[in-house]
Amino acid sequence: MSAWSGSADCQARLTTQQQGGMLLITGFCRNQTTSPLLVRYELLTSRQGESGSTQNTQMGSFTVAPAQEKALSQTSVSFSGSDECQVHLRLFNQQGQLLAQDSLTHYPASRP
C-alpha cells in the first residue's frame, strides 16, 4: 500500500493485496475541496514473469464528493513470487491537466 500523493486539493493512492495467485489492485481519489470534483483516471498495470508479460489499462470518469475518498477502479492480475508488477494511477481534471498520481512496484521474491 502506498501513501496519498498529489496536491492539496486532490490526492491519489494505490493499494494492493495478494490473494492466492492474484494481486488485487485498487486506485483511490481523495477530494480535499469543498466542491464536487470531476476526475478522469487512468490505471495502468504491467506484469513480467516466467509465464510471460501482460499489460492492462483502465480509464474512466467519476465525480468525487467534497471532502470524500472514492475507490475509482479495481483490477487483479495473476501474480507469483517470481513476477514483477508495476502499477500507475493518474488523475486528471476536465481540461486534461494532471491533478495527482501514484505508482508502485511489486518485485520478485528472489530479488536481492
Side-chain angles (χ1 to χ4, degrees):
M1 177 166 48
S2 59
W4 288 101
S5 64
S7 68
D9 293 342
C10 177
Q11 295 182 322
R13 180 172 60 104
L14 287 165
T15 63
T16 58
Q17 181 180 5
Q18 282 189 262
Q19 296 179 336
M22 302 298 285
L23 184 65
L24 181 63
I25 302 160
T26 307
F28 293 90
C29 174
R30 180 187 286 170
N31 177 3
Q32 301 200 134
T33 71
T34 57
S35 301
L37 182 64
L38 179 61
V39 174
R40 184 175 61 81
Y41 75 89
E42 294 177 356
L43 179 65
L44 308 129
T45 60
S46 116
R47 182 195 53 83
Q48 301 83 32
E50 293 176 8
S51 62
S53 63
T54 61
Q55 291 184 324
N56 183 31
T57 302
Q58 292 186 3
M59 294 184 269
S61 296
F62 278 92
T63 299
V64 183
Q68 295 293 310
E69 173 183 329
K70 184 169 190 153
L72 302 174
S73 181
Q74 190 171 68
T75 189
S76 59
V77 294
S78 61
F79 190 78
S80 71
S82 62
D83 292 344
E84 179 177 314
C85 185
Q86 298 177 348
V87 185
H88 303 278
L89 174 64
R90 295 186 294 189
L91 307 178
F92 301 92
N93 66 12
Q94 295 177 36
Q95 293 75 37
Q97 296 170 314
L98 183 66
L99 296 174
Q101 61 184 341
D102 195 13
S103 62
L104 55 83
T105 303
H106 276 268
Y107 292 103
S110 60
R111 182 174 183 231

